[in-house]
Amino acid sequence: MADLGVGGQLSPTSLQRGLSQERVKRLDRSIKEGRFGAQVALIKIWDRTGRIVYSNKSKEIGRRFPISSDLREALDGDVANELSKLEDPDNAVANQRFGQLLEVYVPLRFGGDEKPKGAVELYLPFQPVAAVIREDTLKLYALLFVGLSVLYAILFRVVARASRKLTRAAAERAHQALHDALTDLPNRALFRDRVQEAIAAAERNGTAVAVMIMDLDRFKEINDTLGHHNGDELLCNVGPRLERAVRTSDTVARLGGDEFGLLVPNITDRSVAERIARRAVESLEAPFEIQGLNLEVEASIGAAFFPDQGTDVDTLLQRADVAMYTAKRGHSGYVEYATEHDAYSFTRLRLMTELRQAMDNDELVIHYQPKAALPTGKVTSVEALVRWQHPERGLIPPCDFIPAAENTGAIKTLTLDVIDKVLSQSYAWRNGGIRLKVSVNLSARCLLDVELPATIYQLLRKWEVPPSTLQFEVTESSIMADPPRVQTVLEKLRSLGIEIAIDDFGTGYFSLSNLKNLPVDEIKIDKLFVTRMAADHHDAAIVQSTIDLARNLNLRVVAEGVETKDVWERLSELGCDLAQGAYIGCPSEPDELLDLLAKRRVERIA
């Protein structure tokens, strides 16, 4: 419009002298008839002095106005534009007719001049422009929608295919982790897990569990004669026969080599387990055809029963193994565990008889192992560890009598005796100005005693010791014995003000949901991961992950088995709260502990 329409009817001279009436009328007709290609609400032609040479508002022709910033841009050679409305009241009709306007300032040049001789100020209806924008925008949205839909469909197929592959791979890895690669039977880890579940169910239902270990007789001869490949083929054929011989609720697992495990849960009569074991032995009597040879295979099975012969997985497996070797030696096929089969049974039985007398004679002594805060090294708490000062055998470590005490039920009396001694010592320490939190281990049997919190409360009142002085450590396996019942006991203890810690964290089958729901204040990382973390990056990663987990759950972290300065410094870097181990101090009697505390600035009561 500026170049062809307006500029075509002007000259530099007409800008300087003004337009004749004839040219003014000609421009008026062009604007009214729309010859410039667009409707015009208002047009002004300016010279460089700010004088209006032409306007379709005739009364403005010849007048001078201050040069606005937009007009100055046009006179300097640039195009300026903005959306506006005509503010002049005389333009009310124009505003109603055109609506929002596009205000444009365009430089006027003539010939080859670079510097504009004037400028054109135009007010054009914005509605046609907006309509084109809307049309283009809708087209763009449509293209985007179609493109994104196609992209989403492609990505959905790619992600779905990848997800299916990952799901299958994860399922395969989980299956491989819990099953034997050769026979596809459950492996030792899964077998232990199922034994633990069977024990927990049996405790709730008042039933028994049979854990059996089966070993093939003279399997080494087959391996040596026919080769390991044929030996593996024989093992693969043994599994299906055993599975057909047991009930659907039973478990057949390969524990390693030619050793198989059989789990018979939820039984009320031991004869059921014996019948199943006999059927398993008989299922192997039919010859196996290997390399054209008919091989006759015999097996020996040993069984141990929960709860009479063991209350935990390790004890049951150990005693079933003892019974299996007894069956192998006697060629009897099947043998139940008996104490006379165990070379150490007489010693253990005598110890249990003497243990009750030891508690009456005050032969149990408590040693205390310090826990130091990282990185200050200040000892703030200790763990109470029971020892038996036997009059003939000397100092007996807990591993020699605690398992037997748990199996016989004496563990409850022993635990209460330990707690009584610990509170007595705490009372003496506090009177001496020493404040230390003391942790005591609780067994599974103690955690199942719903009267335990009331008994602990009476002991606290007896010694006038604050509940915050006491902390109980429980293992993952003891919690899983009966989670609802254990949680009730722990919540009652926690309501008294006693802290709860998870001992040997990371070595059991503890789920994060259990950890989230239990009233726990502290977790202790098992020394299995801590001892070599400075040299083994896998152990270090496990420790760091456990510390991060505890931080997110607002729990304190204690690292067990700290034996070197390198491990201490590494734990400090990872943000561990407390450390326990030989580097801080070994378990010692109270007097020896005081010497250590004096060196490590024990926290004292004001």
Side-chain angles (χ1 to χ4, degrees):
M1 289 179 64
D3 292 343
L4 300 178
V6 177
Q9 302 189 48
L10 298 177
S11 65
T13 303
S14 61
L15 278 180
Q16 293 176 359
R17 297 179 179 179
L19 298 179
S20 63
Q21 290 295 325
E22 179 63 28
R23 287 196 175 183
V24 169
K25 292 178 181 179
R26 192 185 309 162
L27 282 171
D28 287 341
R29 286 195 301 271
S30 298
I31 291 170
K32 290 179 181 179
E33 295 172 0
R35 294 179 184 177
F36 294 161
Q39 289 183 310
V40 178
L42 177 63
I43 183 172
K44 297 177 185 179
I45 301 176
W46 301 79
D47 65 10
R48 294 191 61 83
T49 66
R51 179 170 63 95
I52 295 178
V53 177
Y54 171 78
S55 173
N56 57 353
K57 293 174 62 177
S58 58
K59 63 182 181 179
E60 293 183 345
I61 296 176
R63 296 177 59 185
R64 277 189 173 84
F65 295 91
I67 298 176
S68 65
S69 59
D70 292 334
L71 178 58
R72 174 57 60 193
E73 286 188 43
L75 294 174
D76 289 341
D78 296 324
V79 177
N81 62 79
E82 60 180 281
L83 294 177
S84 66
K85 284 182 174 290
L86 295 175
E87 302 296 334
D88 192 337
D90 296 340
N91 291 290
V93 174
N95 285 334
Q96 292 177 358
R97 176 184 176 190
F98 296 109
Q100 195 172 25
L101 300 172
L102 180 64
E103 179 183 358
V104 187
Y105 294 82
V106 186
L108 273 178
R109 292 184 177 88
F110 296 95
D113 294 340
E114 292 185 3
K115 187 174 182 179
K117 301 296 184 181
V120 179
E121 179 182 354
L122 291 170
Y123 290 81
L124 308 176
F126 183 66
Q127 186 59 35
V129 179
V132 173
I133 292 175
R134 282 195 300 272
E135 182 180 354
D136 290 346
T137 302
L138 290 175
K139 289 180 180 178
L140 177 62
Y141 284 166
L143 288 172
L144 285 173
F145 177 78
V146 173
L148 288 174
S149 298
V150 173
L151 179 62
Y152 176 80
I154 295 172
L155 289 176
F156 180 81
R157 292 189 61 186
V158 172
V159 172
R161 187 182 302 112
S163 178
R164 287 193 296 269
K165 289 182 179 179
L166 289 174
T167 301
R168 287 195 299 268
E172 289 175 1
R173 285 194 296 270
H175 183 84
Q176 292 169 1
L178 297 174
H179 289 78
D180 177 57
L182 178 64
T183 62
D184 203 38
L185 293 172
N187 61 13
R188 182 179 291 270
L190 182 55
F191 186 72
R192 289 176 59 89
D193 192 21
R194 291 187 179 177
V195 172
Q196 185 66 56
E197 293 175 356
I199 290 174
E203 285 187 332
R204 291 192 300 268
N205 302 329
T207 56
V209 176
V211 176
M212 307 181 193
I213 292 181
M214 187 193 81
D215 189 81
L216 301 182
D217 297 339
R218 299 185 303 278
F219 179 75
K220 186 177 184 301
E221 298 177 11
I222 297 174
N223 256 345
D224 294 343
T225 304
L226 300 180
H228 289 280
H229 173 73
N230 293 309
D232 290 345
E233 184 178 349
L234 173 61
L235 294 175
C236 291
N237 291 327
V238 168
R241 292 198 187 184
L242 293 177
E243 288 182 317
R244 288 193 294 269
V246 302
R247 305 173 303 178
T248 55
S249 59
D250 301 336
T251 298
V252 176
R254 185 189 178 209
L255 306 182
D258 61 330
E259 192 173 78
F260 293 81
L262 282 75
L263 171 64
V264 183
N266 195 29
I267 57 177
T268 57
D269 186 353
R270 290 191 183 183
S271 62
V272 174
E274 182 177 357
R275 287 196 298 270
I276 292 174
R278 298 292 183 190
R279 285 205 305 266
V281 173
E282 292 170 0
S283 69
L284 305 181
E285 291 179 353
F288 292 86
E289 186 176 345
I290 304 294
Q291 288 290 315
L293 298 175
N294 290 327
L295 299 179
E296 294 184 356
V297 176
E298 296 178 352
S300 300
I301 296 180
F305 291 85
F306 169 87
D308 297 339
Q309 296 163 354
T311 58
D312 61 87
V313 178
D314 290 327
T315 301
L316 291 171
L317 286 173
Q318 184 267 334
R319 291 180 173 173
D321 195 59
V322 169
M324 183 269 293
Y325 280 106
T326 302
K328 189 180 285 286
R329 286 193 300 268
H331 304 285
S332 53
Y334 169 78
V335 168
E336 293 182 11
Y337 172 81
T339 54
E340 57 267 22
H341 299 154
D342 195 333
Y344 300 100
S345 61
F346 177 78
T347 303
R348 292 177 180 174
L349 285 174
R350 190 179 71 175
L351 275 178
M352 289 316 302
T353 303
E354 295 176 346
L355 180 59
R356 296 186 183 275
Q357 298 175 357
M359 288 185 282
D360 295 336
N361 298 334
D362 201 25
E363 294 176 4
L364 297 181
V365 295
I366 309 299
H367 288 187
Y368 298 89
Q369 185 170 25
K371 304 176 188 176
L374 290 157
T376 64
K378 182 187 296 184
V379 174
T380 58
S381 57
V382 293
E383 181 180 1
L385 301 168
V386 64
R387 304 286 190 267
W388 182 358
Q389 190 64 55
H390 195 278
E392 297 176 1
R393 301 178 56 191
L395 197 65
I396 301 177
C399 58
D400 287 351
F401 62 92
I402 292 295
E406 290 180 342
N407 293 338
T408 61
I411 190 65
K412 294 182 180 179
T413 305
L414 187 150
T415 300
L416 292 177
D417 185 62
V418 170
I419 294 173
D420 186 73
K421 292 180 183 296
V422 165
L423 293 179
S424 172
Q425 184 61 60
S426 295
Y427 175 80
W429 279 338
R430 293 182 70 84
N431 285 342
I434 299 174
R435 181 174 62 193
L436 286 173
K437 187 184 298 295
V438 185
S439 60
V440 179
N441 291 279
L442 289 183
S443 69
R445 283 184 178 268
C446 293
L447 287 175
L448 295 175
D449 184 7
V450 294
E451 301 299 325
L452 178 67
T455 306
I456 300 299
Y457 176 72
Q458 295 300 326
L459 290 174
L460 289 169
R461 292 190 60 184
K462 169 186 174 182
W463 292 106
E464 299 178 348
V465 174
S468 58
T469 304
L470 194 58
Q471 182 188 66
F472 286 135
E473 296 185 9
V474 296
T475 62
E476 299 177 29
S477 58
S478 63
I479 293 174
M480 298 309 295
D482 189 346
R485 191 172 178 180
V486 170
Q487 182 167 353
T488 300
V489 173
L490 292 180
E491 287 175 348
K492 289 182 179 180
L493 292 172
R494 192 67 182 82
S495 66
L496 295 176
I498 300 172
E499 289 190 354
I500 306 298
I502 303 296
D503 195 13
D504 300 334
F505 185 81
T507 60
Y509 300 94
F510 203 68
S511 68
L512 293 182
S513 62
N514 289 328
L515 182 61
K516 179 187 69 173
N517 296 327
L518 286 173
V520 176
D521 304 283
E522 185 178 279
I523 59 176
K524 299 184 69 176
I525 307 175
D526 188 74
K527 63 182 179 181
L528 175 69
F529 308 112
V530 175
T531 304
R532 299 188 66 255
M533 62 174 293
D536 191 328
H537 68 277
H538 293 101
D539 288 344
I542 293 173
V543 172
Q544 182 173 3
S545 300
T546 305
I547 293 174
D548 293 341
L549 171 65
R551 284 283 174 271
N552 293 331
L553 296 177
N554 295 319
L555 302 176
R556 289 193 307 274
V557 185
V558 180
E560 296 182 292
V562 180
E563 298 178 355
T564 63
K565 182 180 179 181
D566 291 341
V567 173
W568 170 275
E569 293 176 347
R570 182 63 178 138
L571 289 169
S572 181
E573 293 172 0
L574 295 178
C576 187
D577 298 300
L578 299 167
Q580 179 180 0
Y583 182 73
I584 299 95
C586 296
S588 58
E589 295 181 359
D591 293 339
E592 296 175 352
L593 179 67
L594 291 180
D595 295 336
L596 175 65
L597 298 183
K599 297 177 182 177
R600 289 186 171 269
R601 296 181 303 151
V602 62
E603 186 177 1
R604 293 181 175 273
I605 301 174

